[in-house]
Amino acid sequence: MSQPTAYDPRSVEHDLYRRWESSGFFNPDTLLGKRAKAFSIAMPPPNVTGDLHIGHALTIALEDLMIRHARMNGQAALWVPGTDHAGIATQIKVERMLEETGTSRHEIGREVFLKHVWQWKERYGDTITKQIRAMGASCDWSRERFTMDEGLTEAVQAAFVKLYDDGLIYRAKRLINWCPNDQTALSDLEVRHEERAGSLWYINYRVKKSSHSITVATTRPETLLGDTAVAVNPKDTRYKALVGKRVIVPIVDREVPIVADARVEMDFGTGAVKVTPAHDLLDAEIAKTHGLHAIRVIGPDGTMTEKAGRDLAGLPVHEARVLIVEALDRDGLLEKTEDYRSNVAVCDRCSTHIEPQESDQWFVNMAPLAKPASAAVRSGKIRIVPKRFEKVYFHWLENIQDWCVSRQLWWGHRIPVWYCGGPKVKRMGFSASVAPRLKHGKVTTWRIRDHHFNVGDTVTFIHSGTGKFTGQGTITDIDRTAVRQLPLTDPTHHQGRWTLAHAIRRIQSHYPDRKVTPDTEAWVYRYRYTAPRTARNGCGEVIVSHTQPTRCPTCSGKTFVQDEDVLDTWFSSGLWTFSTLGWPNNQKGRVKRGDLKRFHPTSVMETGWDILFFWVARMVMLSLYFTGEVPFRTVYLNGLILDDEGKKMSKSKGTGIDPLVMTEKYGTDAMRLALVIGQSAGQDFKMNEQKIAGMRNFVNKLWNIGNYVTGIGNGESGIAERSRSTTHHPPPTTPTDRWILSRLSAVTEEATDAIQRFDFSAAGQRLLDFAWHEFADWYLEIHKAERNDALLREVFDVLLRLLHPFAPFVTEQLWQQLRARRKNEFLMLAAWPQPGRRSTVDEKRFAEFRATVAALRNFRMHSGHKPHEIGHVVPGNHTRAWLTLYERLGHVSLQGTAREGSRIGLGYASFHFPAARVKAYESWKKKERLGLTQYLKRLDAQLKNTKLPDHVRKQVEAKRDDVLRRQKEL
RNA sequence: GGGGAAGUAGCUCAGUUGGUUAGAGCGCUUCGUUUACACCGAAGAGGCCAGGGGUUCGAUUCCUCUCUUCCCCACCA
């Protein structure tokens, strides 16, 4: 009976994982032994939206490596898995799904929508956890958490209430980052800056009661409608005389002052800047200093407001811009236009241009939290690997801005705030407009881009922001709106927008006689939802509490309405290390008592550097605040995985490597090895299929080594049980024994050390190199001559232990075979090897022999000998080669094959070669000698240095002797 | 504007305090199917360590400048 020669991961992985998991040993509570020392990792929770990508695979590989190493090392290893609800990301996905089925979240309402999301979560959350299992993650599933499960929701509420009670959370009306597409506020971190091509317009503002004018440069001419000042730098001599004068804002003819402010750059543009406090963060600050008011001309949906004037109201900004520039040009106020590339703020998620909007939001005051977070790293309580990220971390914390934590979404932790007196719905409605509003008076037809519209036409609604098709409708009225003021009664829509698909359905349900057909094509440029007008019947008192209040302390009112908004996803993530372990108060018995005390702070936080601010820093701040402890002792920041072009792998671009496909194709171990060995801390790296294939080859090599080792004896004999501190080897008897044990000790020491230094790549590389090029290539071949079965099995056993954290499946499988499957015995639980004694004498002796053999083989190739012509030293035929090794190490002189011809000596061996081959050999020898001569020259030059330190001189001299000896031999 | 990383073999990358003839994997060339493995074995070819200058007895390694690439942060309209 012969084993299959190629390793088939699929036939072992699934079954093995099942056995591991059902053994219960992923849970530290059931691990055997004292295990006084705890080692814990909180798994960065993947989003419940969709599949595991290659970055997750890396994280799992690294964390599993650490956990398995710790477990073998006798520690109570706990790895807490979980998933993240991922607010916006998930909501958008579910919305998209609803759109496909022809409905929308607004139509079905908040409650029903959330039911859909939960269903989605169940489905995808399940997929994710299956995939994590497929990666071989030895995490404790009995402690699995979800950011929106009951316990964590409790933690989130408790955290919010405490921060509020301590005065660190406040509500404020502020200019915030607003995404017109997602219709929600965003934190500063969720805004990306992108360089985009645009123009710089130079616009003249007439100075009042003067023939002068002042020219401002702007990239956003449409905002001039909301200008309330022009600002210049106080040091700017060009404008000194103008400060305090008033200018006329073009088009709207508003009189505004010229103010002096040091924040204005003199060198940019004309040195004069228009101030639009409602739509620019810097302008808002200038306005604050100078007491200017704000005029909001752009609405939350990214279109111009009524304040922008009758002619422009309702137009998307980019269209308004065109009309404004035209108007300026017509009036001769446009000085010039330049091409200009500028950094624009865009939504990190959907790349929509961010429109700063003033609105009521909840903020966390970060400065008091940042200081201790900074100190924790400075004092060494937290170590960041690699260290260079500390600087970035400090810089961010020192310049921290308050964190806008409210989001205008439905999916997430509802903000635990109640307002006394509920909103009373009076009237709701929406309108859809199809024309630029530059016309006045009664019109009966519109013309847009050569299309004429008439009553009765069916129009296709296309969202002006995204360009997506949203539905069809019939024009019912030629006025300013196509459809207007349909009565709507659903009170849950307080913000956000209606989709047109929904609008159309409304039309149909209210006016069943109207036909909506999809064939007439036209465009509707905008639609709009008018927010409900509300009237409170309470006092509006704000009550922050995790439960709904029953009685208002101010007015005794009994009606309360909870804040509609939810919290930023990262708010709950920030609590992850301790909320998963039971904070606060064991979460009403849902979590094992004592977990928090035992496993927190966690040992290591392993994640990508790209979420250092989003997540890592916030965890430090929140953990220190709520538990008084750091969340983790070490932060290991892994690099990002890049595609072959050096770009971050992206699923949408199709450049990503799918870890599940790779696992299927090459096995989990191969992929994990490729990831772990490919990366080094904080350093981005390229990944491709070829690398994984290379590791598959290694896994297969290991498998075949295993086949050989298990084949040599049948099971039982050999390996005795060993406690973890004393891995005693059978007494070495031969030089070969001493050599391999010495090498094993070396690799054990180096690999262990590298793991402790978080240099997983070096550890893996070292083990791989040993397994393949020392153990398999040389020792296994020696074994064929020496037949020390016990030692072979022993060394292999240790090797499997060392490799287990890197390639858990194949090593476990082989180990089970090696031990003839004793029940409930797992390599996963075996003791991590301790290094034994080194033997430099035997290592050196081996090195010499290896060099001898290599030289013989080299000569064979260069002289053109066929293998059989040389006899003992035959490439590939290690068995016989190793007979010679054995003889050498045993101090027996080596015998060559006697043939006719010249005799040559190589090191310790002497051989006779056929005369016909000697010529070829001579040319090879000449080349070799040349190399040695050059080397000798270099060494001599070094020796001439009078300042050469003694220890170096000694080394050089030894080398010189060696070269001379080799030269002589040639 | 501030900060960071990188430039080593055709490709992807190691190279730990300055001191062997700078390494590995993949690819390439040649040889070999001998019972663990062709997802293999053996022997090779291939590097002014981006470039200039400096420190040193000695620099891929330390300093400095230049060039090139990438990334992060930031309210120059």
Side-chain angles (χ1 to χ4, degrees), chain A residues 9-137:
Chain A
R10 274 175 297 192
S11 67
V12 308
E13 289 183 1
H14 184 76
D15 180 54
L16 214 44
Y17 191 87
R18 204 182 41 73
R19 287 181 54 212
W20 280 334
E21 190 180 348
S22 60
S23 77
F25 294 130
F26 288 171
N27 183 344
D29 300 335
T30 51
L31 280 176
L32 304 172
K34 248 172 66 194
R35 311 222 174 225
K37 234 174 119 190
F39 183 91
S40 57
I41 294 180
M43 182 188 291
N47 295 352
V48 282
T49 56
D51 298 301
L52 233 49
H53 60 70
I54 192 84
H56 293 125
L58 174 61
T59 283
I60 291 170
L62 289 170
E63 289 173 17
D64 196 36
L65 193 164
M66 289 186 258
I67 286 287
R68 283 178 189 272
H69 175 252
R71 192 182 292 121
M72 293 175 79
N73 223 1
Q75 289 168 276
L78 172 65
W79 188 14
V80 180
T83 45
D84 194 306
H85 68 281
I88 301 186
T90 311
Q91 173 156 335
I92 288 175
K93 290 219 169 180
V94 176
E95 277 190 83
R96 216 170 278 158
M97 182 191 79
L98 290 175
E99 207 174 283
E100 276 168 25
T101 58
T103 180
S104 75
R105 73 177 161 110
H106 297 288
E107 179 159 359
I108 61 179
R110 187 165 189 152
E111 233 171 273
V112 180
F113 177 74
L114 287 178
K115 269 185 196 155
H116 273 93
V117 186
W118 276 104
Q119 274 172 17
W120 172 283
K121 183 259 160 189
E122 295 305 329
R123 199 167 86 225
Y124 279 89
D126 202 40
T127 314
I128 285 281
T129 54
K130 265 187 199 143
Q131 292 171 344
I132 294 172
R133 283 181 167 90
M135 292 301 304

Side-chain angles (χ1 to χ4, degrees), chain A residues 540-577:
Chain A
E541 175 75 19
V542 176
I543 299 158
V544 177
S545 158
H546 62 281
T547 52
Q548 178 160 357
T550 49
R551 188 171 167 277
C552 174
T554 312
C555 72
S556 303
K558 284 178 181 164
T559 321
F560 295 92
V561 166
Q562 188 173 2
D563 198 299
E564 295 285 331
D565 292 349
V566 301
L567 287 166
D568 184 1
T569 292
W570 296 102
F571 189 88
S572 54
S573 316
L575 314 173
W576 187 245
T577 59

Side-chain angles (χ1 to χ4, degrees), chain A residues 725-751:
Chain A
S725 56
T726 58
T727 312
H728 71 77
H729 306 295
T733 49
T734 66
T736 318
D737 292 351
R738 293 195 297 269
W739 163 71
I740 193 64
L741 286 173
S742 183
R743 295 308 301 151
L744 186 65
S745 285
V747 75
T748 301
E749 200 177 328
E750 284 169 37

